[in-house]
Structure formats: structure tokens, C-alpha cells
Amino acid sequence: QVQLVESGGGSVQAGGSLRLSCAASRRTFSTYAMGWFRQAPGKEREFVAAINWIGDNVYYADSVKGRFTISRDNAKNTLYLQMNSLKPEDTAKYYCAASRRGGGLEFRSLYEYNYWGQGTQVTVSS
């Protein structure tokens, strides 16, 4: 079992930046593919970004490409999401997720992930 704890959310004006972190409880974090998803009220949870176990392959939703950057530090068991040029439509609860498969999965599908954090709220005002 892996516990994931997100942090770094908050309220920001449009055009601002936030950096989300996701701390994992186990060293096996380094073998897991990781993803960020978000869910706005009344909407389904959607893919944001993903990274394979070693960090040399990254994937982004079209809506965040060029603005968000996913990264990981396996020595610190931590996943990051740098969010720049934030827009009101980025407002959502952001979740990190871990897949026991380190790679070769359908990164955009939430069903590929075995462990989920509790989420951190991001609110972007216009």
C-alpha cells in the first residue's frame, strides 16, 4: 500500500502560478508511473499530466500543454506539478495517482492507477 499526500494548492489570480507536490510513503515510489488528475464540481475526474517511473517520458492534456510541467524526484519520493499561466478553468481539486506499472500504460486513463491521494484544491480567479 502506498499513501500519497498532495500539497501546494491554494487561491491565485489568473496568470499566476502554483506548484503542487505529492509525497509518497514508500521507496517503491521510484518504480511507479505517476499522474495528476483534476476534478471540478459537477464534472468527471480528468487527466492532467503523467510521468513514467524514471521521468524520461511525460504526457499532458492538451488543455495544459505548455503551461504545466510534471516532474519527479525519486530520491525524495515526491511528484511535482508546476502550473503557470493559470486560468479560471483550471479551478479544480487536483489528485496525484500512482500506478504499479512503471510504464507502458494508458497514462490518460484513471483506471490504470492503483493509489490515489486525497487531493488539494486549486482556485483561480479572473
Side-chain angles (χ1 to χ4, degrees):
Q1 188 74 8
V2 175
Q3 290 185 326
L4 303 172
V5 180
E6 301 96 336
S7 61
S11 296
V12 64
Q13 288 191 328
S17 298
L18 285 173
R19 189 193 197 201
L20 304 184
S21 299
C22 172
S25 62
R26 297 188 65 174
R27 284 194 294 271
T28 46
F29 166 87
S30 64
T31 67
Y32 295 156
M34 299 294 297
W36 287 100
F37 289 77
R38 66 187 182 187
Q39 188 167 18
K43 295 189 176 181
E44 293 185 350
R45 193 169 297 189
E46 65 174 7
F47 170 76
V48 176
I51 188 167
N52 69 340
W53 69 278
I54 199 172
D56 60 352
N57 284 315
V58 295
Y59 308 85
Y60 296 98
D62 288 343
S63 58
V64 307
K65 201 172 294 183
R67 301 187 297 121
F68 291 11
T69 302
I70 188 171
S71 62
R72 65 190 299 161
D73 186 337
N74 285 345
K76 295 182 178 180
N77 294 345
T78 304
L79 175 74
Y80 302 100
L81 185 68
Q82 177 67 44
M83 305 186 296
N84 298 329
S85 302
L86 282 161
K87 304 176 180 180
E89 51 263 43
D90 294 319
T91 294
K93 196 165 189 180
Y94 283 70
Y95 298 88
C96 72
S99 172
R100 289 192 293 263
R101 296 172 62 188
L105 63 156
E106 175 45 64
F107 286 92
R108 292 170 176 79
S109 171
L110 57 87
Y111 300 106
E112 290 277 20
Y113 296 86
N114 307 104
Y115 308 106
W116 292 83
Q118 294 300 305
T120 185
Q121 179 67 36
V122 171
T123 302
V124 184
S125 58
S126 57

